[in-house]
Amino acid sequence: MKTFAKLSHAVVAIALASVAGLTFAAGADLGQTQQQATNWTAISMFAIFVGATLWITKWAASKTKTAADFYTAGGGITGFQNGLAIAGDYMSAASFLGISGLVFGSGFDGLIFSIGWLVGWPVITFLMAERLRNLGKFTFADVASYRFAQGPLRSFAATGTLVVVAFYLIAQMVGAGQLIKVLFGLEYIYAVVLVGIIMMMYVLFGGMTATTWVQIIKAVMLLCGATFMAVAVLFQFGFSPEALFAKAVEVHAKGDAIMAPGGLITDPISAISVGLALMFGTAGLPHVLMRFFTVPNAKEARKSVAWATTWIGYFYILTFIIGFGAIVMLPLDPAYYVDGDLALGLKGGGNMAAVHLANAVGGNLFLGFISAVAFATILAVVAGLTLSGASAVSHDLYASVWRRGNADSKTELRVSKLTTLALGVIAVLLGIIFEKQNVAFMVMLAFTIACSANFPVLFMSVLWKNCTTRGAVAGGTVGLILSVVLTVVSPGVWEAALGNPKGSALFPYASASMFSMTAAFLVIWIVSLLDNSEQAKKERALYPNQLIRSETGVGAAAASSH
Amino acid sequence: MSQEIYERIRGNPKFQALVSKRNRFSIVMITLILVAYYGYIVLIAFDKALLATKLSAGGVTSIGIPLGLGVILFTIVLTWIYVARANSEFDPEAEAIIKESQQ
C-alpha cells in the first residue's frame, strides 16, 4: 500500500516535471488510478443523471424519424443551445480534473495549458463556422467534397473522421475506467461496459437530439458545480485573488515557484508545434464540425462558436481558481492524503484535487455531485464522437460513395444505427484492450491528425480556387500518415508509452503537427497545381459558385427540410 | 438555385467588395489571436523571469497571471467582435446582394 502510494507519487512528480514539454503534449491525462471505497452518494447522483437523460432520449426518439433528424436534430437547435452543447462536447473529464490537478501540483503551468485548449475556437469562428453551415448538410465531408469527385474525397474524409474518433474514443473509454475506480469505487470493467451501453442508447434512439441535450445538461451541471467551488474558494479570501495566491505560496511545497512558469515549456519547437495542433486541430475535429449543421443558418452557427468560446474560457478560469483553492484548503485536512501524510500526495492521485476540494467546500453530497458530473462528462463526449463516426460511415461511405447518393433516408438511417451499434461494441473492446496501456498521447494524436489531415483539406477546398480532388486527397493522406508515424517515433510514445530506452526516439519533438500540417498544405498545393486533368478543370470552374454559396448562403440547405 | 442568379451575384461589384472585406477582417483577427497566443508562449520559452516579476512590491501575484487570464479574455472578446460585425454588417449586405440578383 505504502510502496504503491510512493510509486504513484513519484509518477505524478515525473509527469509534472517531464522534459521538453512532454506533459504539455500529452494532454491532461488521468493515468492509472487505484480503486477507492464504494461511494454510494456519487453512484446515486449518477443514476439520477442517467435516468433523466434516458427520459430525454425517449422524447428525442419520438422526434428522430429521418436521417436528417438523426444527424442534425432536424436543424432546429439555437446558437445559444449549440454553444452550450459544443462546450459540453469539449470540456472533458480530463480537462476538468487534469488541469485543476496540474494547477494543484505546479500552479501557474496549469494556466499555460488551458490557454492552449482555448485558442482553436477563434480560428473556427473566423474561418470555418459560417462557411461550414452554408456549404454542408450533415458531415464536414459534404463541405470538403462540394465541388470534388465524391468517391475519393469522401473516402478520405471518412477515414480522417474514423481515425480521429478512434483515438479520441480510446482515451475517453480508458479515462472512464480509471475514473470509476476513484470516483465510485467500482471496477474498471463496469465503467467501460456502462459507458458503452448508455452511450449506445442515447445515440441509437435519440440521435443528435438526445446527444445535444445530454451535452447541454452536462455543460450546465459542470459549469454550475465549478462556479460554486470557485466562489466558495474566493469567498474565504474576501474575493481577493492576491490573498488566495499569498496563502497558496505560503503552504505549497514549491513556494513562490508556483507563481512562475515551470517546466512545461522548455523547447520552443515543441511548444509551437503543440500550439499548432491545438489551434488548428480544433477546426478539424469531426464531432465538433458536425455540430454546425444542427443550427438553422450561418448567423446561428457563428453565435454557437462565440458562446462555446465564452463558456470554455470561463470554465478554464474556474479550474485555475479551483486548483489554487485545493492548494490552500486540502492541507487543512490530512484525511485527503495517502495515510494522512501530506508528503505522500493526494488519495487517488494528483488529478483528484478538484474532487477532494468538492468535499472540503460542500460536504459529502456535493462530492457525490461533482463525482457524478465528472463521470457523466465522459458519456456526453463519447456520444458525440460515436455519432460523428456513424455519420461518416452511413452518410459518406454508404450513401454517397457506395450508393452514389441514391440511398433513401430510411436505409441511410438504418445503416447509421447499425454503425452506432458496431462502434459501441468496438469502443468497449478498445477500452478493455487498452486498460493497462499508457494512452496519454492519444487525444493529442487525434488533434495532430485533425490539424494535419482534416483541416488542410477543408481549408484549401473552401478557400483556394485551384485546389483539386487529387491535390486534396494526396495532401490529406500525407498529413494523416505523417502525423501518425512521427507521433509513434516521438519521445512521448516511443519512450514513454512503448518503453524503449530514453533518447532512442527518432523524432525529437513533442508534436508532429508543425511538420505534418506543413507537408499536407504543400502537397495539396503542388499536386493541385500539377493537375491538368479534365476533372480538375471542371472543379476549378465550379469554384465561383461554391464561393458565392459559402459567402452569402444562397442555396444553402435549409436545415430543417433536406 | 439557377445559374443565372449565380452569374448576377458574381458580376455584382458589391459581392466582390464583401468577399474581400470579410477576408481582410478574418486575416486581421487571425493575426491578432496568433500574436497573442504565440507571444505568450514565446515569452514563457525565452523569458520566464519577466513573467515571474511581481505586480507590486511585497505582493505575490506575478505578471504572468493577469497576462494569461488576459489572453483567455482576449480570445473571447475577439470572437464576439467578429460575430457582432458579421451579424450586423456582413449578413445584411449578403442578403441585399441576393435580393438584387433575384430582381
Side-chain angles (χ1 to χ4, degrees), chain A residues 66-151:
Chain A
T66 63
D69 297 331
F70 184 81
Y71 297 132
T72 66
I77 307 288
T78 68
F80 178 73
Q81 291 167 340
N82 197 33
L84 270 175
I86 294 174
D89 221 339
Y90 198 71
M91 300 181 299
S92 62
S95 61
F96 175 51
L97 302 177
I99 293 178
S100 51
L102 190 57
V103 175
F104 175 74
S106 43
F108 187 90
D109 279 355
L111 184 62
I112 309 173
F113 196 87
S114 53
I115 292 172
W117 292 90
L118 187 66
V119 290
W121 293 98
V123 174
I124 296 194
T125 319
F126 308 149
L127 290 178
M128 288 288 128
E130 48 200 282
R131 296 185 169 102
L132 278 170
R133 184 61 199 81
N134 283 340
L135 290 174
K137 229 163 93 174
F138 299 150
T139 63
F140 90 87
D142 288 338
V143 181
S145 71
Y146 187 80
R147 63 193 161 107
F148 293 152
Q150 298 294 304

Side-chain angles (χ1 to χ4, degrees), chain A residues 108 112 115 122 125-126 130-131 242 245-246 256 259-260 262 265 272 275-276 279 299 302 310 544-545 548 551, chain B residues 3 6 10 22-23 26 29 34 38 40 44 48 52 54 59-62 64 68 75 79-80 82 86-87 91:
Chain A
F108 187 90
I112 309 173
I115 292 172
T125 319
F126 308 149
E130 48 200 282
R131 296 185 169 102
E242 168 72 20
F245 295 148
D256 199 39
M259 285 285 109
I265 294 181
I272 291 171
L276 279 178
M279 213 168 197
K299 193 181 204 133
R302 280 193 292 263
T310 309
N545 280 7
I548 287 166
E551 295 289 329
Chain B
Q3 186 54 33
Y6 280 113
R10 200 178 169 184
R22 194 204 300 263
N23 285 346
S26 296
M29 299 302 261
L34 279 171
Y38 278 111
Y40 195 62
I44 294 166
K48 290 191 171 58
K54 298 300 177 194
V60 295
T61 313
S62 59
T75 306
T79 311
W80 278 106
Y82 178 88
N87 284 354
D91 273 1

Side-chain angles (χ1 to χ4, degrees), chain A residues 27-30 87-88 90-104 110 113-114 117 172 179 183 218-219 221-230 312 314-324 326 350-359 361 366-378 381:
Chain A
D29 174 54
L30 298 166
Y90 198 71
M91 300 181 299
S92 62
S95 61
F96 175 51
L97 302 177
I99 293 178
S100 51
L102 190 57
V103 175
F104 175 74
F113 196 87
S114 53
W117 292 90
Q172 295 295 323
L179 264 187
L183 294 182
K218 164 238 165 146
M221 281 170 42
L222 187 56
L223 287 168
C224 287
T227 302
F228 174 76
M229 286 165 81
I312 296 167
Y314 171 66
F315 173 70
Y316 285 148
I317 294 174
L318 294 179
T319 54
F320 190 63
I321 300 168
I322 290 170
F324 271 96
N351 285 323
M352 288 300 115
V355 175
H356 293 315
L357 184 69
N359 194 19
V361 300
F366 188 64
L367 167 72
F369 175 76
I370 285 294
S371 304
V373 169
F375 196 71
T377 282
I378 294 190
V381 177

Side-chain angles (χ1 to χ4, degrees), chain A residues 493-511:
Chain A
V493 180
W494 193 252
E495 293 163 18
L498 298 176
N500 288 300
K502 219 165 163 37
S504 65
L506 292 172
F507 180 74
Y509 306 112
S511 164

